[in-house]
Amino acid sequence: MYRKMFYRKVDKIVKKPLFLAVNFFIITSLLGGCTLTKTEENQNKKTSEMIQSDENIVPEEKSEEEILKGDYVDNVEQETGTQSQTENKANDIVKQEKIVEGYVLKTEGSIITVDLENSGGRNYPEEGLDRGIEFDITNAEKEIISTSGYMEERECSIRTGLTVSITYYEQNGKNIVTKISTDNDEKEMLVYVSSGKIQELTEKTIKVHVDEGDNNGENIAFNTSEISIPQEASMNSLVTVTYYLKGNTYYALSVSCIIS
């Protein structure tokens, strides 16, 4: 009996501390859970405050000097790019050279006016002046085309009346010649000569039946407004007419009587 009482006391002594330990563990766990929850809340609160602080930050305004400086740099870069593009275009233009042939209508310094439709002699005075195109030969290479009867060392002098071959390119609306060639032979105006009897005579015309020369066998009315008719010229007089053709009109350059 004494032993039973002893064991009961021991059991009570052992169970009580064990019960207290279990309770302490449970309480500690609960407190720990609460502590973690508060810590998370604090961290969330700090994070929210930091985000709010970032949103309230106003970007620092640039000074007028900084803005102007930035604009200047942008403009310089833009101008540099534009200049580079312009140079590239200019190089491309130089490669696009053309070759044409024409008749030199007039010269003025290093600028020549050329008729590209008719490269030979004129059919009438001032032919081509209404369609002449200007070329700049300032830096052009000049070449003499060898022809029989001429010395190759002749000086290449570009002047009115020459037929020329031109190598050029277009730049800023101008025709820049890189090379110009000619045989140095001036082309005269094309004229015709006919002889025959006068069939009709007025103040400004003379009609001739041509029996010799150009347009033989035809009756041609010559415009004589630019010349004087010989006083001895009359109906059935034999005459020789030198003339040029402009359109459908025959313009007399001279009329001379033939003495039989």
Side-chain angles (χ1 to χ4, degrees):
M1 187 174 178
Y2 175 77
R3 288 182 178 178
K4 290 181 178 180
M5 293 177 63
F6 174 77
Y7 287 135
R8 287 177 181 175
K9 290 181 178 181
V10 172
D11 184 56
K12 288 180 179 181
I13 293 172
V14 173
K15 286 182 177 180
K16 188 175 183 178
L18 181 60
F19 175 76
L20 293 175
V22 171
N23 289 339
F24 178 76
F25 176 77
I26 293 172
I27 292 170
T28 303
S29 299
L30 292 173
L31 291 175
C34 293
T35 303
L36 289 174
T37 302
K38 290 182 179 180
T39 301
E40 290 176 355
E41 289 179 357
N42 291 336
Q43 289 178 348
N44 291 337
K45 184 177 181 181
K46 289 181 180 179
T47 302
S48 177
E49 290 175 352
M50 291 175 64
I51 294 172
Q52 187 67 29
S53 175
D54 291 339
E55 291 178 351
N56 293 332
I57 294 176
V58 179
E60 182 180 355
E61 294 185 359
K62 294 183 179 181
S63 65
E64 184 177 354
E65 181 179 356
E66 291 175 329
I67 293 174
L68 292 175
K69 184 177 180 181
D71 291 341
Y72 173 76
V73 172
D74 292 339
N75 290 336
V76 170
E77 291 178 350
Q78 185 176 0
E79 289 177 0
T80 302
T82 303
Q83 183 178 0
S84 177
Q85 293 177 358
T86 302
E87 291 176 352
N88 291 335
K89 289 181 179 179
N91 291 333
D92 292 339
I93 291 174
V94 173
K95 297 177 182 178
Q96 297 176 357
E97 290 186 334
K98 302 176 184 178
I99 300 177
V100 294
E101 186 174 85
Y103 176 91
V104 180
L105 296 166
K106 63 179 181 178
T107 62
E108 188 172 346
S110 59
I111 304 299
I112 62 174
T113 303
V114 180
D115 177 12
L116 300 181
E117 289 189 23
N118 178 16
S119 61
R122 303 297 82 190
N123 291 304
Y124 55 88
E126 300 181 351
E127 178 192 0
L129 289 179
D130 58 338
R131 59 178 182 252
I133 297 176
E134 292 187 349
F135 292 88
D136 187 340
I137 61 173
T138 302
N139 299 314
E141 174 190 349
K142 297 178 181 179
E143 178 188 46
I144 291 292
I145 300 174
S146 299
T147 57
S148 59
Y150 289 95
M151 301 289 291
E152 291 188 4
E153 60 269 16
R154 290 174 302 151
E155 180 182 358
C156 182
S157 176
I158 306 302
R159 59 192 182 277
T160 300
L162 296 180
T163 296
V164 293
S165 176
I166 298 173
T167 302
Y168 75 102
Y169 62 90
E170 297 178 12
Q171 185 177 50
N172 299 326
K174 295 182 179 180
N175 299 317
I176 310 300
V177 180
T178 57
K179 184 178 181 179
I180 183 167
S181 306
T182 180
D183 59 6
N184 254 2
D185 183 21
E186 292 184 21
K187 307 300 185 296
E188 298 179 356
M189 187 175 70
L190 300 178
V191 295
Y192 306 88
V193 179
S194 297
S195 297
K197 286 184 178 182
I198 297 177
Q199 293 182 324
E200 186 179 317
L201 187 61
T202 68
E203 292 183 359
K204 294 184 178 180
T205 61
I206 179 174
K207 188 175 183 180
V208 177
H209 175 74
V210 179
D211 55 22
E212 186 177 348
D214 297 307
N215 301 304
N216 188 19
E218 298 182 16
N219 295 320
I220 299 177
F222 297 97
N223 185 311
T224 58
S225 59
E226 299 177 356
I227 64 168
S228 298
I229 301 294
Q231 294 181 356
E232 61 271 26
S234 60
M235 292 292 292
N236 295 320
S237 294
L238 289 175
V239 293
T240 297
V241 183
T242 302
Y243 60 96
Y244 65 87
L245 181 64
K246 182 178 181 180
N248 295 321
T249 303
Y250 297 84
Y251 287 90
L253 293 170
S254 67
V255 176
S256 59
C257 291
I258 301 174
I259 300 174
S260 56

